[in-house]
Amino acid sequence: MSSWLTLVESPEDMIFILELVYIFLLLVGPTVCLCPNQCACNAVSGFVNCREKGFTNVPGGMGADVDYINLGNNNLTKITTQSFQRFRRLHYLTLDNNHISDIAELAFENMRELRVLNLQWNSLKFLRKGVFRGLINLQDLRLSYNSLRKLGFLNEEDLYSLQTLYLDRNNISTLNSLTFAHLHSLKFVHLEYNRLSAMEDGIFSGSLDVEHVLLTGNKINRMSPASFKDLRTLRSLNLDVNQLSSVNFETFRNIKSRYTNLYLDSNPWHCDCDLQRTFNKIHLTKNLHIVRYEELACHKPGEVRNVTLKALGTNFCVAETVTILVITITVVVAVVAAVVTTERNRRQRMQNSPHIASI
């Protein structure tokens, strides 16, 4: 302290330094002092940590210029238009592991600087259209582990900056061409463990630069040839643990990415010549790669159940073709024999009956 005081050469210098300290305290004072009871606040980072404090409502007493609010693991049940309207500079908002079942329309309208919104592990069954209006800089939206069924709320023009979307482990059963229509910056889509049964045309027509689509653990048994059409940067498509028994080569050929990893393990494949030809075409397509192909196993027919597609080799298709050919020849021979026998019997009847012969 004494060495610091030696720098003060006059009372004017001391007054000047005190004025600087006063101005500094005015600037940081609200961030330091405005901290809700039970929470921990960091003035430097602007971090307000109110995690696991038993709050049933958003607590007051926070400075409007905070950067990060963590309200996870509390007992919040709803978000109103008043809950966060003051936090115009907020970048990160964590609300996971609450009991939130209702979020008001325009609840986040004033939070134009928000980058990450975490709503995982709540009780959301639906979200109103317009609930995310105003979030023009949102890049990461986390809605995993809820009970959402419909995704109309994503049809929002203000979400054009969204890059990562977590929708895994909900009750989503359908997607359509409007679902991601305005998500032009989308890169990662997590849809694992929902109730999807089909992939229709043009689902990603508004998000042609998506890079990773995760559909693991659904009930998908049908995919349109245009489901992933014209995706330009798709790096991975995960369809593990679904109900696919066959696939159309066009579904994958329509992907326009330079290189795409396909995950197709743990599906009930019906192994026949058509399936083998499809996978052979995929192998010959330079921009497509089946990950863990050696683990893909047949489910039907019974004689090849649990045998891998790779183990079947080309002989399986040859054998099937020979079998079909033998069956076809056998049927033709049987038909010809039946015709010959019928004709022979007819002639014998004519010879044995003079009346018929005279006619």
Side-chain angles (χ1 to χ4, degrees):
M1 180 66 72
S2 59
S3 60
W4 179 80
L5 289 174
T6 58
L7 298 176
V8 181
E9 297 180 353
S10 66
E12 288 78 10
D13 290 337
M14 178 62 75
I15 293 172
F16 177 70
I17 291 173
L18 290 175
E19 287 177 345
L20 288 178
V21 172
Y22 178 72
I23 293 172
F24 175 78
L25 290 175
L26 284 177
L27 291 174
V28 304
T31 307
V32 174
C33 298
L34 295 181
C35 187
N37 292 333
Q38 305 181 57
C39 301
C41 303
N42 187 302
V44 177
S45 65
F47 179 33
V48 178
N49 186 4
C50 297
R51 190 171 188 85
E52 205 169 352
K53 300 299 181 183
F55 289 117
T56 56
N57 293 293
V58 177
M62 285 183 277
D65 58 348
V66 297
D67 185 72
Y68 186 167
I69 296 175
N70 188 338
L71 276 164
N73 270 92
N74 280 287
N75 297 312
L76 305 179
T77 59
K78 63 181 179 179
I79 304 298
T80 70
T81 54
Q82 306 298 315
S83 298
F84 297 103
Q85 68 170 353
R86 297 188 303 113
F87 304 106
R88 297 175 182 269
R89 299 181 183 179
L90 195 67
H91 286 155
Y92 307 92
L93 178 58
T94 298
L95 298 167
D96 66 291
N97 286 278
N98 278 277
H99 306 288
I100 300 169
S101 60
D102 184 38
I103 302 179
E105 184 179 351
L106 306 180
F108 308 106
E109 185 180 24
N110 293 328
M111 304 172 72
R112 303 176 74 84
E113 298 300 320
L114 195 67
R115 301 295 195 273
V116 178
L117 176 57
N118 187 348
L119 286 160
Q120 295 180 139
W121 290 99
N122 275 286
S123 303
L124 295 167
K125 293 183 178 180
F126 77 99
L127 286 169
R128 299 176 177 85
K129 189 174 180 179
V131 69
F132 297 125
R133 190 164 301 161
L135 298 180
I136 59 174
N137 285 301
L138 189 68
Q139 298 175 7
D140 188 319
L141 177 58
R142 305 186 178 200
L143 292 163
S144 309
Y145 293 97
N146 279 281
S147 300
L148 295 169
R149 296 177 180 273
K150 297 182 179 180
L151 301 177
F153 60 87
L154 289 175
N155 190 14
E156 174 58 63
E157 294 182 1
D158 285 355
L159 291 176
Y160 54 78
S161 297
L162 191 65
Q163 296 181 16
T164 304
L165 178 60
Y166 291 86
L167 290 166
D168 51 296
R169 293 166 175 83
N170 278 277
N171 294 320
I172 301 162
S173 59
T174 58
L175 302 172
N176 58 52
S177 59
L178 296 177
T179 303
F180 308 116
H182 297 294
L183 308 185
H184 305 307
S185 300
L186 198 60
K187 301 294 183 185
F188 296 82
V189 184
H190 291 265
L191 282 160
E192 305 99 302
Y193 298 98
N194 277 283
R195 298 183 178 182
L196 297 170
S197 60
M199 299 298 290
E200 305 296 347
D201 288 350
I203 290 174
F204 296 99
S205 58
S207 306
L208 294 180
D209 291 324
V210 67
E211 295 180 2
H212 302 276
V213 177
L214 290 87
L215 294 161
T216 311
N218 279 276
K219 303 178 185 299
I220 298 170
N221 56 49
R222 179 175 59 84
M223 296 188 294
S224 162
S227 297
F228 311 105
K229 186 177 181 180
D230 296 333
L231 294 186
R232 300 174 295 211
T233 58
L234 186 64
R235 295 168 59 185
S236 67
L237 173 60
N238 197 321
L239 288 158
D240 285 347
V241 197
N242 275 281
Q243 295 297 316
L244 294 170
S245 59
S246 63
V247 287
N248 187 331
F249 173 62
E250 297 299 316
T251 301
F252 300 126
R253 191 175 74 165
N254 284 329
I255 298 172
K256 301 304 180 184
S257 175
R258 293 180 62 184
Y259 193 81
T260 302
N261 284 316
L262 303 174
Y263 296 81
L264 300 166
D265 197 13
S266 299
N267 280 282
W269 297 112
H270 185 99
C271 293
D272 56 16
C273 283
D274 287 339
L275 186 67
Q276 193 169 59
R277 279 191 288 268
T278 297
F279 280 119
N280 286 339
K281 289 177 183 178
I282 293 174
H283 286 310
L284 294 173
T285 305
K286 291 183 178 180
N287 67 315
L288 299 175
H289 171 65
I290 301 175
V291 180
R292 300 190 303 272
Y293 174 70
E294 65 279 0
E295 297 180 16
L296 300 190
C298 302
H299 184 72
K300 292 181 179 180
E303 58 267 25
V304 293
R305 186 181 179 90
N306 296 326
V307 177
T308 63
L309 282 164
K310 185 176 181 179
L312 288 178
T314 56
N315 292 333
F316 173 74
C317 197
V318 172
E320 183 177 291
T321 303
V322 171
T323 301
I324 293 173
L325 185 60
V326 169
I327 293 173
T328 302
I329 293 173
T330 302
V331 171
V332 170
V333 170
V335 170
V336 171
V339 171
V340 170
T341 301
T342 301
E343 180 63 19
R344 183 185 299 119
N345 292 337
R346 187 184 69 82
R347 290 183 179 181
Q348 287 179 352
R349 286 197 301 272
M350 291 179 65
Q351 291 174 358
N352 295 332
S353 176
H355 175 70
I356 296 177
S358 63
I359 294 176

